[in-house]
Amino acid sequence: VALLTKDLVCLWYTATGTRPVRVVITRDPKGNHADRAFFSTRHKAGTRTLLESYARRWLIEVSFREFKQSFGFSEAQNGWSRGTHPQGRPKPGPLARGKRGHRAVERTAPFVLIMRGILVAWYLGENRWVQDVEKHKRHSPWNTKKTHPSLDDMLDAVREAIQLHRIQRHPLRIGTR
């Protein structure tokens, strides 16, 4: 896709103070993609270089979003406290109690990354992504362009497998005590 680009170097006082920022605006002349603006403090880098660096980081940024949205990574409640609830329990918040909160965060981030890797490996091993994408298209007819499962699709699949396993292993015993 050939995009039209316009770039400029400016100051954005509220975001970067007196540090210059390069702004790159892209437009698809065919109208298939929305106009976008990209910002970088690497103001001496060329337009192509900046757009390529954004493209390389895209999967990483999507992963961070998934960690926050699907795994609750932005609301980790492990050693941080900012007072108490009326019932006397600690409230989660940004004030750490000594080193405990810092150590907890240092363990939580790698754990979430490892769990995501295990989930993706399990999902690929199950080889069910084609049927899951088709199922999603049936339930969401407005999203006909979906070709790959999302992390939420993978989480739904593992939840479904766990529930099915529990039901099959522990059938209800009716009439016995």
Side-chain angles (χ1 to χ4, degrees):
V1 175
L3 295 176
L4 302 174
T5 61
K6 176 69 177 166
D7 68 298
L8 63 114
V9 176
C10 62
L11 295 177
W12 187 1
Y13 292 108
T14 56
T16 62
T18 58
R19 192 172 178 186
V21 176
R22 178 173 294 279
V23 180
V24 178
I25 301 169
T26 62
R27 171 170 283 171
D28 179 6
K30 294 183 179 179
N32 294 329
H33 302 283
D35 294 350
R36 304 222 175 185
F38 300 90
F39 304 87
S40 177
T41 53
R42 293 173 44 207
H43 68 281
K44 293 182 180 178
T47 300
R48 183 182 185 108
T49 303
L50 289 178
L51 292 177
E52 286 173 349
S53 67
Y54 267 93
R56 280 193 303 273
R57 282 206 44 96
W58 184 250
L59 288 176
I60 295 169
E61 296 300 331
V62 169
S63 295
F64 288 147
R65 181 187 172 278
E66 289 174 343
F67 297 148
K68 292 176 183 177
Q69 300 259 326
S70 300
F71 282 108
F73 187 65
S74 63
E75 299 165 357
Q77 299 177 16
N78 51 6
W80 295 80
S81 178
R82 62 171 177 176
T84 57
H85 283 283
Q87 298 89 1
R89 294 188 321 262
K91 284 197 280 186
L95 300 176
R97 285 182 259 140
K99 294 270 184 193
R100 183 174 148 199
H102 293 287
R103 286 192 306 264
V105 169
E106 289 169 357
R107 288 187 302 267
T108 302
F111 178 75
V112 171
L113 292 168
I114 290 167
M115 291 306 300
R116 181 183 184 271
I118 290 170
L119 173 68
V120 171
W122 172 85
Y123 190 81
L124 293 174
E126 291 293 305
N127 197 25
R128 57 182 282 163
W129 70 272
V130 173
Q131 71 187 42
D132 284 351
V133 168
E134 291 304 318
K135 177 180 163 186
H136 182 81
K137 286 180 181 180
R138 281 193 308 276
H139 293 280
S140 306
W142 58 87
N143 191 4
T144 58
K145 294 182 180 179
K146 183 174 179 117
T147 58
H148 295 84
S150 66
L151 184 69
D152 285 334
D153 294 333
M154 295 178 198
L155 284 169
D156 288 343
V158 78
R159 286 183 192 118
E160 185 179 299
I162 290 169
Q163 289 172 351
L164 184 62
H165 180 72
R166 285 181 180 166
I167 290 170
Q168 289 176 347
R169 277 193 67 181
H170 304 291
L172 294 175
R173 295 187 181 127
I174 300 172
T176 60
R177 290 191 179 220

